[in-house]
Amino acid sequence: MSTLPIKLRLRFYGDASLRRKAKPVAKVTEKEMAILAEMAQIMRLAGGVGLAAPQVGINRQIIVIDIGEGPRVFINPKIFKRLGCDTKEEGCLSLPGVFLSVKRAKKITVTALNEKNEAVTLSADNLLARVIQHEMDHLKGKLLVDHANIFKKIELKRKLRALLKHKKEVL
Ligand code: NI
């Protein structure tokens, strides 16, 4: 992995970078490698299973996932096959303390570039499929809370307001 010095930090609910549509990566270079290395470290330290570049303020289609099988990289990911559906509770490193049941495809087939700039195709199911779909939402500026129905939104209101207040105190 590259050692280009890039200092990234985790962004939380209310941060504008979480709402931007991420741009595709033209080519995986040393810069992307450095971003990936830092993202993997931030994810590990935060105890997450996935992290998308907008969550560290980078407006690029870059995702790192580790569900306990070692880190996987997805750059410019595209889902071209979805099978079945499954509803399970999810959390998000950018929304600490928020948990929400989300309906997702149970099995997906995804194409992406890996860290070597090679196009790869992967079929994933269950947790891995769920995490890929969650992280791909981030690339569209979509957050976990956007999946909440009206009742859950009311329930989450106070928690989200507290997150926004906390963010103002940090800035
Ligand atoms: Ni997330």
Side-chain angles (χ1 to χ4, degrees):
M1 285 267 174
S2 168
T3 51
L4 279 182
I6 299 178
K7 259 279 133 306
L8 303 175
R9 63 177 175 84
L10 191 56
R11 307 301 173 99
F12 295 98
Y13 182 70
D15 192 301
S17 65
L18 292 172
R19 289 304 192 181
R20 287 186 199 114
K21 235 182 133 190
K23 296 186 179 110
V25 172
K27 188 172 184 264
V28 183
T29 66
E30 263 207 358
K31 190 181 159 208
E32 282 72 29
M33 295 289 281
I35 291 169
L36 280 165
E38 266 202 49
M39 282 175 65
Q41 193 181 11
I42 289 169
M43 177 180 72
R44 201 163 41 238
L45 290 173
V49 289
L51 190 69
Q55 292 181 274
V56 291
I58 301 282
N59 190 29
R60 285 288 179 277
Q61 293 176 16
I62 300 173
I63 290 170
V64 177
I65 290 175
D66 190 345
I67 58 161
E69 302 168 344
R72 296 169 196 262
V73 169
F74 299 87
I75 295 163
N76 305 341
K78 279 186 186 69
I79 294 174
F80 64 90
K81 214 165 154 188
R82 289 180 169 83
L83 267 173
C85 67
D86 190 22
T87 303
K88 279 210 167 65
E89 196 166 71
E90 293 181 14
C92 178
L93 291 180
S94 296
L95 285 149
V98 173
F99 298 94
L100 201 64
S101 281
V102 184
K103 191 173 166 185
R104 308 260 188 208
K106 192 171 172 61
K107 192 172 175 180
I108 59 171
T109 305
V110 62
T111 56
L113 292 177
N114 66 12
E115 66 277 13
K116 294 173 206 145
N117 202 54
E118 300 160 338
V120 289
T121 301
L122 175 82
S123 285
D125 58 11
N126 299 316
L127 180 61
L128 183 57
R130 175 167 296 276
V131 179
I132 292 170
Q133 291 171 85
H134 174 112
E135 302 312 329
M136 283 181 72
D137 272 358
H138 279 299
L139 303 183
K140 296 176 221 144
K142 189 171 179 177
L143 292 174
L144 183 56
V145 284
D146 302 336
H147 289 276
N149 63 28
I150 185 73
F151 303 108
K152 191 69 188 178
K153 268 188 184 131
I154 292 165
E155 197 188 309
L156 286 173
K157 218 169 191 173
R158 200 202 306 233
K159 218 169 236 176
L160 294 178
R161 216 180 299 144
L163 281 176
L164 287 177
K165 187 169 171 275
H166 174 72
K167 186 186 161 267
K168 266 186 212 121
E169 280 162 6
V170 171
L171 287 176

